Amino acid sequence: SGSEEAVLFYINDSTVVVGRNQTIEAEVDVDYCHRYGIEVVRRLSGGGAVYHDTGNLNFTFIVNKKDFDRPRQDQVIIEALNQLSIHAEVNGRNDLVINGCKFSGHAYYHGSKNSYHHGTIMVDVDMSPLEKYLNVSPLKLQAKGVPSVRSRVTNLRDYIPNLSIPALEEALV
């Protein structure tokens, strides 16, 4: 029987999305988010807390469970960026990086029939408030030796200043 596959693209206003196994209060400054109108929501999949705004393109691959192939799905994004003259690669986690800086985090959920591979692609995210919304674990900072979230992430517009979300969607399709 034939297998249907789909990819969805979507954009959220300012939102913090936490993984299914995370404690919201440990990951997110909930008071700050409420004060500034930032939505806080939980997703079905695991993974870490992420911030979405209108500079972020979100995607979901929906595939039959037997056809789930994370490297193939990652390759769709990598090849789209190659078309745009950006060299990206998969790191040892569930992230895509450029020069070691994360621009796309991924999470996965397996239902009874379908599997879902979803994530973010940072095109032009406002990173200035990231540390205010998200609580970065001192243990994570100690283990990584990195002083801030901002230094580990990058926007695609840092590499292609006039990149638009519709142009990225077109390359992905």
Side-chain angles (χ1 to χ4, degrees):
S1 75
S3 175
E4 296 279 329
E5 295 183 1
V7 64
L8 305 174
F9 299 117
Y10 52 100
I11 297 171
N12 294 325
D13 278 330
S14 297
T15 305
V16 174
V17 184
V18 298
R20 77 181 294 165
N21 300 314
Q22 292 186 298
T23 304
I24 290 175
E25 292 75 18
E27 300 291 329
V28 179
D29 184 337
V30 177
D31 291 337
Y32 186 90
C33 289
H34 288 162
R35 190 172 336 128
Y36 291 96
I38 309 304
E39 295 291 327
V40 178
V41 299
R42 183 179 301 280
R43 63 178 178 269
L44 289 174
S45 61
V50 294
Y51 172 69
H52 295 187
D53 71 11
T54 58
N56 190 60
L57 178 63
N58 302 289
F59 67 88
T60 301
F61 290 101
I62 304 170
V63 298
N64 185 290
K65 206 170 182 177
K66 68 179 176 45
D67 296 325
F68 183 81
D69 184 346
R70 186 176 123 195
R72 181 179 66 115
Q73 292 146 198
D74 287 342
Q75 197 60 34
V76 168
I77 299 167
I78 289 170
E79 287 179 18
L81 293 176
N82 284 341
Q83 288 176 32
L84 298 169
S85 300
I86 297 175
H87 174 72
E89 56 193 9
V90 179
N91 73 1
R93 312 188 68 212
N94 296 331
D95 303 327
L96 298 181
V97 298
I98 300 169
N99 299 328
C101 292
K102 175 179 173 176
F103 71 91
S104 182
H106 301 185
Y108 314 93
Y109 177 76
H110 302 284
S112 60
K113 293 181 182 180
N114 293 320
S115 291
Y116 306 86
H117 170 172
H118 54 213
T120 61
I121 303 175
M122 298 173 66
V123 176
D124 191 25
V125 174
D126 179 6
M127 291 195 233
S128 60
L130 280 180
E131 290 135 346
K132 295 179 179 107
Y133 301 149
L134 303 177
N135 297 326
V136 180
S137 158
L139 293 175
K140 189 181 285 187
L141 291 178
Q142 183 180 8
K144 303 254 184 235
V146 178
S148 72
V149 172
R150 203 175 330 145
S151 68
R152 296 190 324 235
V153 297
T154 190
N155 277 309
L156 294 181
R157 281 219 183 134
D158 293 340
Y159 303 89
I160 300 179
N162 62 348
L163 180 65
S164 68
I165 288 179
L168 176 58
E169 287 176 334
E170 186 176 321
L172 288 163
V173 169

PDB file of all heavy atoms in Angstrom, residues 1 3 8 12 15 29 37 46-47 51 61 78 85 89 91 93-94 99 102 104-105 126-127 152 161 166 168 171:
ATOM      1  N   SER A   1       0.842  -1.187   0.000  1.00  0.00           N
ATOM      2  CA  SER A   1       0.000   0.000   0.000  1.00  0.00           C
ATOM      3  C   SER A   1       0.876   1.235   0.000  1.00  0.00           C
ATOM      4  O   SER A   1       1.947   1.255   0.591  1.00  0.00           O
ATOM      5  CB  SER A   1      -0.938  -0.018   1.203  1.00  0.00           C
ATOM      6  OG  SER A   1      -0.240   0.289   2.388  1.00  0.00           O
ATOM      7  N   SER A   3       2.234   4.976   0.846  1.00  0.00           N
ATOM      8  CA  SER A   3       2.405   5.686   2.110  1.00  0.00           C
ATOM      9  C   SER A   3       2.328   7.182   1.863  1.00  0.00           C
ATOM     10  O   SER A   3       2.993   7.706   0.980  1.00  0.00           O
ATOM     11  CB  SER A   3       3.759   5.319   2.718  1.00  0.00           C
ATOM     12  OG  SER A   3       3.977   6.084   3.866  1.00  0.00           O
ATOM     13  N   LEU A   8       4.424  20.109   7.257  1.00  0.00           N
ATOM     14  CA  LEU A   8       3.668  21.313   7.586  1.00  0.00           C
ATOM     15  C   LEU A   8       4.646  22.407   7.986  1.00  0.00           C
ATOM     16  O   LEU A   8       5.631  22.135   8.672  1.00  0.00           O
ATOM     17  CB  LEU A   8       2.728  21.047   8.760  1.00  0.00           C
ATOM     18  CG  LEU A   8       1.745  19.896   8.631  1.00  0.00           C
ATOM     19  CD1 LEU A   8       1.000  19.696   9.947  1.00  0.00           C
ATOM     20  CD2 LEU A   8       0.774  20.156   7.501  1.00  0.00           C
ATOM     21  N   ASN A  12       4.600  30.900  14.850  1.00  0.00           N
ATOM     22  CA  ASN A  12       3.893  31.322  16.060  1.00  0.00           C
ATOM     23  C   ASN A  12       4.341  32.713  16.475  1.00  0.00           C
ATOM     24  O   ASN A  12       5.499  33.082  16.268  1.00  0.00           O
ATOM     25  CB  ASN A  12       4.216  30.382  17.236  1.00  0.00           C
ATOM     26  CG  ASN A  12       3.693  28.989  17.036  1.00  0.00           C
ATOM     27  OD1 ASN A  12       2.644  28.787  16.457  1.00  0.00           O
ATOM     28  ND2 ASN A  12       4.432  28.007  17.518  1.00  0.00           N
ATOM     29  N   THR A  15       6.149  32.629  21.803  1.00  0.00           N
ATOM     30  CA  THR A  15       5.690  31.442  22.523  1.00  0.00           C
ATOM     31  C   THR A  15       6.899  30.667  23.024  1.00  0.00           C
ATOM     32  O   THR A  15       7.888  30.536  22.311  1.00  0.00           O
ATOM     33  CB  THR A  15       4.881  30.518  21.584  1.00  0.00           C
ATOM     34  OG1 THR A  15       3.815  31.255  20.999  1.00  0.00           O
ATOM     35  CG2 THR A  15       4.327  29.316  22.313  1.00  0.00           C
ATOM     36  N   ASP A  29      10.755  31.055  32.864  1.00  0.00           N
ATOM     37  CA  ASP A  29      10.381  32.100  33.812  1.00  0.00           C
ATOM     38  C   ASP A  29       8.919  32.450  33.506  1.00  0.00           C
ATOM     39  O   ASP A  29       8.624  33.343  32.713  1.00  0.00           O
ATOM     40  CB  ASP A  29      11.286  33.316  33.665  1.00  0.00           C
ATOM     41  CG  ASP A  29      11.006  34.385  34.694  1.00  0.00           C
ATOM     42  OD1 ASP A  29       9.870  34.426  35.240  1.00  0.00           O
ATOM     43  OD2 ASP A  29      11.903  35.203  34.955  1.00  0.00           O
ATOM     44  N   GLY A  37       3.080  38.737  27.921  1.00  0.00           N
ATOM     45  CA  GLY A  37       2.178  38.153  26.932  1.00  0.00           C
ATOM     46  C   GLY A  37       2.782  37.033  26.107  1.00  0.00           C
ATOM     47  O   GLY A  37       2.346  36.784  24.985  1.00  0.00           O
ATOM     48  N   GLY A  46       9.290  14.914  23.380  1.00  0.00           N
ATOM     49  CA  GLY A  46      10.285  15.273  24.392  1.00  0.00           C
ATOM     50  C   GLY A  46      11.134  16.435  23.902  1.00  0.00           C
ATOM     51  O   GLY A  46      10.733  17.205  23.043  1.00  0.00           O
ATOM     52  N   GLY A  47      12.328  16.524  24.441  1.00  0.00           N
ATOM     53  CA  GLY A  47      13.242  17.584  24.024  1.00  0.00           C
ATOM     54  C   GLY A  47      13.157  18.783  24.940  1.00  0.00           C
ATOM     55  O   GLY A  47      12.390  18.807  25.900  1.00  0.00           O
ATOM     56  N   TYR A  51      12.016  28.757  22.150  1.00  0.00           N
ATOM     57  CA  TYR A  51      11.280  30.006  21.983  1.00  0.00           C
ATOM     58  C   TYR A  51      10.940  30.178  20.513  1.00  0.00           C
ATOM     59  O   TYR A  51      11.788  29.993  19.649  1.00  0.00           O
ATOM     60  CB  TYR A  51      12.136  31.174  22.475  1.00  0.00           C
ATOM     61  CG  TYR A  51      11.533  32.521  22.175  1.00  0.00           C
ATOM     62  CD1 TYR A  51      10.381  32.936  22.839  1.00  0.00           C
ATOM     63  CD2 TYR A  51      12.100  33.357  21.229  1.00  0.00           C
ATOM     64  CE1 TYR A  51       9.814  34.171  22.559  1.00  0.00           C
ATOM     65  CE2 TYR A  51      11.538  34.598  20.954  1.00  0.00           C
ATOM     66  CZ  TYR A  51      10.406  34.990  21.609  1.00  0.00           C
ATOM     67  OH  TYR A  51       9.835  36.206  21.332  1.00  0.00           O
ATOM     68  N   PHE A  61       7.329  17.032   9.947  1.00  0.00           N
ATOM     69  CA  PHE A  61       7.223  15.931   8.996  1.00  0.00           C
ATOM     70  C   PHE A  61       6.262  14.925   9.617  1.00  0.00           C
ATOM     71  O   PHE A  61       6.440  14.536  10.772  1.00  0.00           O
ATOM     72  CB  PHE A  61       8.565  15.225   8.792  1.00  0.00           C
ATOM     73  CG  PHE A  61       9.600  16.023   8.053  1.00  0.00           C
ATOM     74  CD1 PHE A  61      10.610  16.671   8.745  1.00  0.00           C
ATOM     75  CD2 PHE A  61       9.583  16.097   6.666  1.00  0.00           C
ATOM     76  CE1 PHE A  61      11.582  17.386   8.079  1.00  0.00           C
ATOM     77  CE2 PHE A  61      10.552  16.815   5.986  1.00  0.00           C
ATOM     78  CZ  PHE A  61      11.560  17.466   6.698  1.00  0.00           C
ATOM     79  N   ILE A  78      19.009  20.205   5.250  1.00  0.00           N
ATOM     80  CA  ILE A  78      20.399  20.483   4.870  1.00  0.00           C
ATOM     81  C   ILE A  78      20.502  20.782   3.375  1.00  0.00           C
ATOM     82  O   ILE A  78      21.176  21.725   2.956  1.00  0.00           O
ATOM     83  CB  ILE A  78      21.307  19.313   5.297  1.00  0.00           C
ATOM     84  CG1 ILE A  78      21.433  19.315   6.831  1.00  0.00           C
ATOM     85  CG2 ILE A  78      22.674  19.407   4.623  1.00  0.00           C
ATOM     86  CD1 ILE A  78      22.094  18.095   7.412  1.00  0.00           C
ATOM     87  N   SER A  85      23.089  28.288  -0.441  1.00  0.00           N
ATOM     88  CA  SER A  85      24.521  28.516  -0.207  1.00  0.00           C
ATOM     89  C   SER A  85      24.894  28.613   1.268  1.00  0.00           C
ATOM     90  O   SER A  85      25.795  29.350   1.650  1.00  0.00           O
ATOM     91  CB  SER A  85      25.001  29.772  -0.948  1.00  0.00           C
ATOM     92  OG  SER A  85      24.779  29.618  -2.326  1.00  0.00           O
ATOM     93  N   GLU A  89      25.080  21.221   9.167  1.00  0.00           N
ATOM     94  CA  GLU A  89      25.305  19.808   9.466  1.00  0.00           C
ATOM     95  C   GLU A  89      24.543  19.418  10.720  1.00  0.00           C
ATOM     96  O   GLU A  89      24.096  20.270  11.486  1.00  0.00           O
ATOM     97  CB  GLU A  89      26.799  19.523   9.609  1.00  0.00           C
ATOM     98  CG  GLU A  89      27.489  20.367  10.643  1.00  0.00           C
ATOM     99  CD  GLU A  89      29.009  20.294  10.534  1.00  0.00           C
ATOM    100  OE1 GLU A  89      29.529  19.720   9.561  1.00  0.00           O
ATOM    101  OE2 GLU A  89      29.664  20.821  11.435  1.00  0.00           O
ATOM    102  N   ASN A  91      24.474  17.852  14.413  1.00  0.00           N
ATOM    103  CA  ASN A  91      25.413  17.621  15.507  1.00  0.00           C
ATOM    104  C   ASN A  91      25.030  16.346  16.236  1.00  0.00           C
ATOM    105  O   ASN A  91      24.130  15.625  15.802  1.00  0.00           O
ATOM    106  CB  ASN A  91      25.506  18.837  16.445  1.00  0.00           C
ATOM    107  CG  ASN A  91      24.282  19.021  17.325  1.00  0.00           C
ATOM    108  OD1 ASN A  91      23.330  18.245  17.295  1.00  0.00           O
ATOM    109  ND2 ASN A  91      24.307  20.072  18.115  1.00  0.00           N
ATOM    110  N   ARG A  93      23.437  15.885  18.865  1.00  0.00           N
ATOM    111  CA  ARG A  93      22.144  15.951  19.542  1.00  0.00           C
ATOM    112  C   ARG A  93      21.062  15.955  18.473  1.00  0.00           C
ATOM    113  O   ARG A  93      21.294  15.520  17.364  1.00  0.00           O
ATOM    114  CB  ARG A  93      22.106  17.199  20.412  1.00  0.00           C
ATOM    115  CG  ARG A  93      23.386  17.319  21.269  1.00  0.00           C
ATOM    116  CD  ARG A  93      23.306  18.411  22.257  1.00  0.00           C
ATOM    117  NE  ARG A  93      22.306  18.013  23.229  1.00  0.00           N
ATOM    118  CZ  ARG A  93      21.538  18.856  23.867  1.00  0.00           C
ATOM    119  NH1 ARG A  93      21.642  20.127  23.668  1.00  0.00           N
ATOM    120  NH2 ARG A  93      20.652  18.434  24.727  1.00  0.00           N
ATOM    121  N   ASN A  94      19.913  16.490  18.761  1.00  0.00           N
ATOM    122  CA  ASN A  94      18.834  16.560  17.764  1.00  0.00           C
ATOM    123  C   ASN A  94      18.801  17.945  17.129  1.00  0.00           C
ATOM    124  O   ASN A  94      17.743  18.534  16.963  1.00  0.00           O
ATOM    125  CB  ASN A  94      17.480  16.259  18.425  1.00  0.00           C
ATOM    126  CG  ASN A  94      17.430  14.850  18.958  1.00  0.00           C
ATOM    127  OD1 ASN A  94      18.085  13.960  18.446  1.00  0.00           O
ATOM    128  ND2 ASN A  94      16.652  14.649  19.997  1.00  0.00           N
ATOM    129  N   ASN A  99      28.609  26.166  11.623  1.00  0.00           N
ATOM    130  CA  ASN A  99      29.820  26.531  12.370  1.00  0.00           C
ATOM    131  C   ASN A  99      29.672  26.274  13.862  1.00  0.00           C
ATOM    132  O   ASN A  99      30.112  27.070  14.693  1.00  0.00           O
ATOM    133  CB  ASN A  99      30.185  28.006  12.126  1.00  0.00           C
ATOM    134  CG  ASN A  99      30.483  28.287  10.672  1.00  0.00           C
ATOM    135  OD1 ASN A  99      30.993  27.439   9.958  1.00  0.00           O
ATOM    136  ND2 ASN A  99      30.136  29.480  10.230  1.00  0.00           N
ATOM    137  N   LYS A 102      23.746  26.350  16.807  1.00  0.00           N
ATOM    138  CA  LYS A 102      22.436  25.759  16.522  1.00  0.00           C
ATOM    139  C   LYS A 102      21.505  26.785  15.869  1.00  0.00           C
ATOM    140  O   LYS A 102      21.393  27.910  16.320  1.00  0.00           O
ATOM    141  CB  LYS A 102      21.837  25.284  17.843  1.00  0.00           C
ATOM    142  CG  LYS A 102      20.443  24.745  17.767  1.00  0.00           C
ATOM    143  CD  LYS A 102      20.024  24.302  19.158  1.00  0.00           C
ATOM    144  CE  LYS A 102      18.594  23.891  19.249  1.00  0.00           C
ATOM    145  NZ  LYS A 102      18.272  23.385  20.583  1.00  0.00           N
ATOM    146  N   SER A 104      18.548  25.074  14.384  1.00  0.00           N
ATOM    147  CA  SER A 104      17.366  24.242  14.223  1.00  0.00           C
ATOM    148  C   SER A 104      17.397  23.102  15.237  1.00  0.00           C
ATOM    149  O   SER A 104      18.289  22.250  15.188  1.00  0.00           O
ATOM    150  CB  SER A 104      17.328  23.673  12.797  1.00  0.00           C
ATOM    151  OG  SER A 104      16.168  22.888  12.596  1.00  0.00           O
ATOM    152  N   GLY A 105      16.447  23.111  16.166  1.00  0.00           N
ATOM    153  CA  GLY A 105      16.302  22.037  17.142  1.00  0.00           C
ATOM    154  C   GLY A 105      15.128  21.156  16.764  1.00  0.00           C
ATOM    155  O   GLY A 105      14.132  21.639  16.229  1.00  0.00           O
ATOM    156  N   ASP A 126      14.324  37.124  17.350  1.00  0.00           N
ATOM    157  CA  ASP A 126      14.838  38.142  18.270  1.00  0.00           C
ATOM    158  C   ASP A 126      15.439  37.422  19.471  1.00  0.00           C
ATOM    159  O   ASP A 126      14.718  36.921  20.328  1.00  0.00           O
ATOM    160  CB  ASP A 126      13.707  39.070  18.703  1.00  0.00           C
ATOM    161  CG  ASP A 126      14.169  40.137  19.682  1.00  0.00           C
ATOM    162  OD1 ASP A 126      15.398  40.248  19.949  1.00  0.00           O
ATOM    163  OD2 ASP A 126      13.305  40.870  20.194  1.00  0.00           O
ATOM    164  N   MET A 127      16.747  37.359  19.529  1.00  0.00           N
ATOM    165  CA  MET A 127      17.401  36.601  20.593  1.00  0.00           C
ATOM    166  C   MET A 127      17.638  37.408  21.862  1.00  0.00           C
ATOM    167  O   MET A 127      18.000  36.839  22.887  1.00  0.00           O
ATOM    168  CB  MET A 127      18.709  36.033  20.082  1.00  0.00           C
ATOM    169  CG  MET A 127      18.468  34.954  19.056  1.00  0.00           C
ATOM    170  SD  MET A 127      19.911  34.006  18.776  1.00  0.00           S
ATOM    171  CE  MET A 127      20.044  34.120  17.016  1.00  0.00           C
ATOM    172  N   ARG A 152      25.279  30.186  21.684  1.00  0.00           N
ATOM    173  CA  ARG A 152      25.234  28.852  21.081  1.00  0.00           C
ATOM    174  C   ARG A 152      24.259  28.755  19.929  1.00  0.00           C
ATOM    175  O   ARG A 152      24.104  27.696  19.350  1.00  0.00           O
ATOM    176  CB  ARG A 152      24.833  27.814  22.143  1.00  0.00           C
ATOM    177  CG  ARG A 152      25.818  27.664  23.248  1.00  0.00           C
ATOM    178  CD  ARG A 152      25.479  26.455  24.118  1.00  0.00           C
ATOM    179  NE  ARG A 152      24.060  26.249  24.265  1.00  0.00           N
ATOM    180  CZ  ARG A 152      23.416  26.152  25.424  1.00  0.00           C
ATOM    181  NH1 ARG A 152      24.067  26.265  26.547  1.00  0.00           N
ATOM    182  NH2 ARG A 152      22.136  25.947  25.466  1.00  0.00           N
ATOM    183  N   PRO A 161      21.592  37.831   4.726  1.00  0.00           N
ATOM    184  CA  PRO A 161      20.848  38.929   5.373  1.00  0.00           C
ATOM    185  C   PRO A 161      19.447  39.186   4.824  1.00  0.00           C
ATOM    186  O   PRO A 161      18.576  39.620   5.561  1.00  0.00           O
ATOM    187  CB  PRO A 161      21.758  40.143   5.149  1.00  0.00           C
ATOM    188  CG  PRO A 161      23.120  39.554   5.019  1.00  0.00           C
ATOM    189  CD  PRO A 161      22.920  38.223   4.312  1.00  0.00           C
ATOM    190  N   PRO A 166       9.341  32.891   3.266  1.00  0.00           N
ATOM    191  CA  PRO A 166       8.812  32.241   2.051  1.00  0.00           C
ATOM    192  C   PRO A 166       9.906  31.645   1.162  1.00  0.00           C
ATOM    193  O   PRO A 166       9.717  30.575   0.584  1.00  0.00           O
ATOM    194  CB  PRO A 166       8.059  33.374   1.346  1.00  0.00           C
ATOM    195  CG  PRO A 166       7.642  34.283   2.459  1.00  0.00           C
ATOM    196  CD  PRO A 166       8.794  34.248   3.439  1.00  0.00           C
ATOM    197  N   LEU A 168      12.761  30.395   2.193  1.00  0.00           N
ATOM    198  CA  LEU A 168      13.197  29.178   2.863  1.00  0.00           C
ATOM    199  C   LEU A 168      12.160  28.063   2.658  1.00  0.00           C
ATOM    200  O   LEU A 168      12.531  26.928   2.355  1.00  0.00           O
ATOM    201  CB  LEU A 168      13.402  29.433   4.359  1.00  0.00           C
ATOM    202  CG  LEU A 168      13.772  28.209   5.187  1.00  0.00           C
ATOM    203  CD1 LEU A 168      15.055  27.541   4.687  1.00  0.00           C
ATOM    204  CD2 LEU A 168      13.892  28.588   6.665  1.00  0.00           C
ATOM    205  N   ALA A 171      12.577  26.609  -0.789  1.00  0.00           N
ATOM    206  CA  ALA A 171      13.745  25.707  -0.875  1.00  0.00           C
ATOM    207  C   ALA A 171      13.447  24.372  -0.202  1.00  0.00           C
ATOM    208  O   ALA A 171      13.842  23.313  -0.699  1.00  0.00           O
ATOM    209  CB  ALA A 171      14.962  26.373  -0.244  1.00  0.00           C
TER     210      ALA A 171
END
